[in-house]
Amino acid sequence: MKILGYAATNPSAPLAPFSFERREPRADDVVIDILYCGVCHSDLHQARNDWGFSTYPIVPGHEIVGRVRTVGSEVSKFKAGDLAAIGCMVDSCRVCQPCQHGLEQYCEEGNIQTYNGQDRHDRSTTYGGYSQSIVASQDFVLHVPKNLDLQGAAPLLCAGITTWSPLRHWQVDANSKVAVIGLGGLGHMAIKLANALGAEVTLFTRSPGKEADARRLGASHVVVSTDEAQMAQVQNQFDLIIDTVPYVHEINPYLSTLTLDGTLVFVGLVGDAPQFSTVPLLLGRRSIAGSCIGGIAETQEMLDFCGQHGIAADVEVIDIQNINAAFARMLKSDVKYRFVIDMASLVD
Ligand code: NAP
Ligand code: ZN
């Protein structure tokens, strides 16, 4: 079926209207009319080919919430009219060890990204949520808790799960001290989720103006990372630091703020690691790790947790015609705290 979206056609072109063919639904597929789609910094990275593997035209968008229009003959988990959501992946091999353990994001054959990926069956290019509708296997479609505001729920599909997964993997609970670096889309969800798990939360930020918001979102402490005196006061404290910064940055100043056996986990930076000293690692048996989105079951667990706790993202809703201005503001760390596109603005 022919539909409309917004695409980048090369690394420097602004996003513009783009008409394209969605693949025909198969028996296990759900067809979703998209209501809202969050704007992730990964969308910007991939539109600009920052990671070097973009294929054009690229229709970004992997924080998708919508309503089911139709389902294939083998679909049992959804019916027409249901709310439904799609995150960063739409398929995986389903048989390797990670897939068997609900860790489809770490599929040994590579998960199929919601956009800039290749369908496993017909090798067609996948196109994301900056568009009118999407088709995906029911096994990669999520249920949205009914009590959540749909605009605020969309960013849970990437910003939410990407911060939830490390919080769960490193078993954060009421006895934990967690720090978050960077107050953007991922950072603000990390604060909300860690706080809801009972942890004591600290924000590291370069932006002193974000302090009041950080406290409102659930941080007990805010440390301006460029202020050495403030940094010196938080040594040997954190069990887990979630680093959401999208670009290369120094990490040495953060390592000594970890407690014995503490871990700094990269979720933001995709690329070569910054230089760091092993001394704070050796002297505190500390670790540096990375984490990629989350599995499908874990994503549903996170959505259900958010439903129970009334957690959604703080969003600025935009029309799709304003996406290029939104990208420009995101580059300046000027988003409170996630842009979400109202897809009703996308009309032929
Ligand atoms: P975002 O909304 O732009 O937030 C990033 C925050 O990092 C900014 O608000 C800013 O916070 C801080 N920051 C930005 N540039 C910085 C710099 N040069 N040095 C230090 N701090 C800087 O981005 P996002 O959507 O949260 O995404 C963050 C990163 O995560 C992106 O690179 C994205 O591609 C990646 N990502 C990874 C996964 C995964 O699976 N691992 C999933 C989704 C996204 P302050 O103003 O508070 O300093
Ligand atoms: Zn994302």
Side-chain angles (χ1 to χ4, degrees):
M1 78 197 108
K2 197 102 178 156
I3 68 158
L4 190 61
Y6 259 57
T9 46
N10 66 61
S12 54
L15 268 63
F18 171 62
S19 174
F20 64 100
E21 198 69 38
R22 275 279 178 222
R23 66 174 178 77
E24 287 305 313
R26 296 185 280 258
D28 66 331
D29 279 337
V30 177
V31 182
I32 300 169
D33 288 321
I34 301 175
L35 295 170
Y36 297 103
C37 184
V39 179
C40 179
H41 207 112
S42 303
D43 299 346
L44 194 161
H45 284 308
Q46 297 202 63
R48 296 171 150 226
N49 200 20
D50 286 348
W51 298 334
F53 56 80
S54 298
T55 49
Y56 295 92
I58 190 164
V59 177
H62 58 207
E63 294 183 337
I64 300 164
V65 168
R67 212 170 270 288
V68 175
R69 189 197 310 159
T70 54
V71 298
S73 58
E74 289 170 13
V75 170
S76 55
K77 300 176 186 169
F78 293 88
K79 59 180 189 321
D82 285 352
L83 288 173
I86 291 180
C88 301
M89 53 184 176
V90 286
D91 206 355
S92 69
C93 85
R94 307 183 188 208
V95 293
C96 71
Q97 278 269 336
C99 284
Q100 295 270 314
H101 288 90
L103 297 165
E104 302 88 352
Q105 75 274 33
Y106 302 120
C107 173
E108 289 170 2
E109 294 188 10
N111 71 67
I112 307 303
Q113 292 187 80
T114 301
Y115 63 87
N116 195 32
Q118 229 184 28
D119 184 81
R120 285 184 65 86
H121 300 268
D122 63 15
R123 298 284 151 207
S124 61
T125 300
T126 59
Y127 295 113
Y130 295 8
S131 61
Q132 293 170 315
S133 63
I134 188 161
V135 178
S137 163
Q138 62 169 347
D139 295 329
F140 284 75
V141 180
L142 290 307
H143 292 280
V144 184
K146 289 200 172 60
N147 61 315
L148 288 185
D149 160 61
L150 292 184
Q151 302 171 345
L156 301 178
L157 277 301
C158 175
I161 184 58
T162 301
T163 50
W164 175 257
S165 188
L167 290 169
R168 297 289 282 157
H169 181 75
W170 277 277
Q171 299 175 349
V172 164
D173 61 19
N175 299 314
S176 310
K177 281 191 174 187
V178 172
V180 175
I181 311 179
L183 187 56
L186 267 57
H188 97 291
M189 286 313 307
I191 293 177
K192 287 188 188 214
L193 294 170
N195 183 55
L197 288 167
E200 184 180 315
V201 186
T202 297
L203 171 71
F204 287 113
T205 179
R206 305 162 307 165
S207 311
K210 292 182 179 175
E211 181 159 357
D213 278 347
R215 290 184 190 278
R216 176 179 55 76
L217 294 164
S220 307
H221 313 279
V222 178
V223 176
V224 177
S225 52
T226 49
D227 182 331
E228 282 181 23
Q230 289 192 33
M231 292 296 285
Q233 280 176 1
V234 287
Q235 301 295 294
N236 303 305
Q237 294 210 1
F238 304 115
D239 303 297
L240 182 67
I241 299 178
I242 300 185
D243 185 337
T244 76
V245 174
Y247 299 97
V248 175
H249 57 287
E250 242 201 305
I251 59 164
N252 280 333
Y254 299 108
L255 294 177
S256 54
T257 72
L258 288 167
T259 188
L260 174 66
D261 288 330
T263 300
L264 180 146
V265 58
F266 282 113
V267 293
L269 180 66
V270 179
D272 290 339
Q275 285 269 321
F276 62 86
S277 166
T278 62
V279 174
L281 302 185
L282 272 59
L283 295 185
R285 202 163 58 188
R286 299 168 172 119
S287 307
I288 297 175
S291 184
C292 177
I293 48 173
I296 293 298
E298 193 176 39
T299 305
Q300 192 62 60
E301 173 196 74
M302 177 273 312
L303 286 167
D304 295 345
F305 179 89
C306 287
Q308 281 154 21
H309 292 259
I311 295 174
D314 283 26
V315 301
E316 291 190 51
V317 179
I318 60 167
D319 288 348
I320 200 159
Q321 292 76 11
N322 294 329
I323 185 62
N324 295 300
F327 273 10
R329 277 186 55 197
M330 187 150 65
L331 273 177
K332 292 191 280 182
S333 305
D334 173 27
V335 192
K336 292 189 170 173
Y337 279 91
R338 195 58 136 189
F339 288 117
V340 171
I341 304 164
D342 181 350
M343 219 50 72
S345 62
L346 180 58
V347 283
D348 297 272

